Amino acid sequence: MISNQIIQNTIDGIKGIVRVDICVMDIEGKIAATTFEDAVNFEKDVVFFIDSPADSQEVKDVHFIKLYDENQLEFVMLVKGEGEDVYLVTKLVAFQLQNLIVAYKERYDKDNFIKNLLLDNLLLVDIYNRAKKLHIEANARRVVFLIETEGDIEDIERTEYNALEVVRSLFSTRTKDFITAVDERSIILVKELKATEGYNDLYNTAKMILDMLNMEAMTNVHVSYGTIVEELKEVSRSFKEAKMALAVGKIFYTDKSVIAYNNLGIGRLIYQLPIPLCNMFIKESFGGQDIEDFDEETLSTIVKFFENSLNISETARQLYIHRNTLVYRLDKIQKCTGLDIRVFEDAITFKIAIMVSKYMKYMENNIY
């Protein structure tokens, strides 16, 4: 439903153009928005006017007119001004406000529809029936972007609002895109795509959103997106993929702010493993040791060794240590775990074990 602030902004703008004072009251005679201070004196008159069969009338040189939405009375508007054209201005303002009320109601209905669609709260027949009523194309290429903001708990509401407004401003000219918020940290963009748009374009869009939010909303964000779907009923699948991409990114790709579902690699597989199986794998890989048992020096050595594709000379150079010192550390790791990460097969096992350990830690902190 349209907010009082939207009505206030609208009548302030109209007053600046037509030079008349306007007040909008609800059906209980309470002021929703006004441009003149003594509007409270007309509350009783409005109550009587609401009960009357008339749709418009003039009382004490003030024009009263009822505003409807599908034959349902929503507001009463008062216009106070001088001149012969006041009645005409009143009708024009009423027409503008009534269309605004209807537009916001339609937007609210669409917002509810999209939320229920994403959360799989609609039957298949309801999806197509409601989409037709809301003039939403059923067969169109779409993708879901999930934008998660960061910040202190007390700043969540302010941050989410700023981020939401920035995203809406980015896509304000695209009437076929839908933007909504499902919780205090997450913004969802359901974007309709052209026939020529592909996954490279999705990455560029995500990067644009990221850069704009970092600059305009002054907040750090992560952006993920699912796969492209061809039908409205499949939008929820793209949303679930975007959620998984965001979660997988938090665990395995912490250095990335844009995560695509179709580019998750081995992280996708590990994320779907049951915890008991992960525990078994870690025991087999590390001989009962936990990855947290390794000191910081050992962990940094392993990470840098993998980054340099198991190249001992380059790793030693980047760590500013002698080659023999690096060999000693690698021998020490082999002695502790039974895995020689200079050997490709053991290196793969060790790399996967590190990722599995990260996954288990994440699940422990966020679920259990």
Side-chain angles (χ1 to χ4, degrees), residues 13-36:
I14 292 174
K15 179 183 178 181
I17 298 171
V18 299
R19 307 298 182 190
V20 298
D21 277 306
I22 306 166
C23 175
V24 177
M25 296 190 184
D26 60 26
I27 57 176
E28 295 180 353
K30 302 300 180 183
I31 296 174
T34 184
T35 64
F36 57 98

Side-chain angles (χ1 to χ4, degrees), residues 63-65 77 79 85-95:
H63 291 274
F64 289 59
I65 191 165
M77 185 185 71
V79 176
D85 296 331
V86 174
Y87 179 73
L88 178 61
V89 169
T90 301
K91 298 293 285 185
L92 289 172
V93 174
F95 178 77

Side-chain angles (χ1 to χ4, degrees), residues 57-268:
Q57 67 180 43
E58 185 178 346
V59 179
K60 302 175 185 178
D61 296 325
V62 175
H63 291 274
F64 289 59
I65 191 165
K66 294 177 180 177
L67 304 178
Y68 293 90
D69 177 19
E70 294 182 355
N71 298 320
Q72 178 70 37
L73 180 62
E74 295 287 344
F75 297 100
V76 172
M77 185 185 71
L78 290 67
V79 176
K80 184 170 68 170
E82 298 179 357
E84 298 178 355
D85 296 331
V86 174
Y87 179 73
L88 178 61
V89 169
T90 301
K91 298 293 285 185
L92 289 172
V93 174
F95 178 77
Q96 177 69 21
L97 285 177
Q98 191 154 306
N99 281 342
L100 191 64
I101 292 168
V102 172
Y104 265 81
K105 181 180 179 182
E106 182 177 336
R107 172 177 166 180
Y108 181 74
D109 286 344
K110 283 186 177 180
D111 191 67
N112 271 342
F113 171 70
I114 293 299
K115 284 181 179 178
N116 285 316
L117 178 66
L118 294 172
L119 298 174
D120 278 333
N121 290 337
L122 296 171
L123 297 174
L124 186 60
V125 64
D126 291 332
I127 292 175
Y128 291 105
N129 287 340
R130 291 187 62 182
K132 184 176 181 180
K133 183 178 180 181
L134 294 170
H135 307 290
I136 298 174
E137 181 64 41
N139 297 314
R141 298 177 77 242
R142 293 184 175 92
V143 69
V144 176
F145 289 86
L146 182 58
I147 304 144
E148 185 178 82
T149 61
E150 295 180 353
D152 296 333
I153 296 299
E154 58 269 22
D155 293 332
I156 286 176
E157 185 175 350
R158 176 186 59 78
T159 302
E160 184 273 333
Y161 175 78
N162 288 343
L164 185 61
E165 292 306 308
V166 170
V167 176
R168 280 179 174 158
S169 67
L170 279 174
F171 300 93
S172 58
T173 58
R174 295 179 58 90
T175 57
K176 294 183 179 181
D177 294 338
F178 302 101
I179 300 160
T180 187
V182 291
D183 57 45
E184 66 272 12
R185 287 187 183 273
S186 302
I187 301 167
I188 295 172
L189 165 64
V190 182
K191 189 175 187 298
E192 184 168 320
L193 305 174
K194 299 176 183 177
T196 56
E197 288 184 289
Y199 287 101
N200 287 337
D201 300 292
L202 299 189
Y203 178 81
N204 292 334
T205 299
K207 194 69 171 61
M208 176 187 67
I209 294 171
L210 179 73
D211 293 341
M212 285 298 294
L213 287 176
N214 286 338
M215 180 173 63
E216 298 289 340
M218 303 296 289
T219 180
N220 293 324
V221 298
H222 291 90
V223 183
S224 64
Y225 52 92
T227 56
I228 298 171
V229 298
E230 304 288 339
E231 295 184 34
L232 191 61
K233 66 180 182 180
E234 296 177 334
V235 166
S236 63
R237 190 190 78 212
S238 186
F239 172 57
K240 292 171 185 173
E241 292 169 347
K243 284 181 66 178
M244 177 186 283
L246 191 64
V248 172
K250 287 179 182 179
I251 303 170
F252 305 116
Y253 313 114
T254 53
D255 58 325
K256 294 183 180 180
S257 295
V258 175
I259 309 293
Y261 177 79
N262 64 340
N263 195 27
L264 294 180
I266 196 172
R268 184 205 320 273

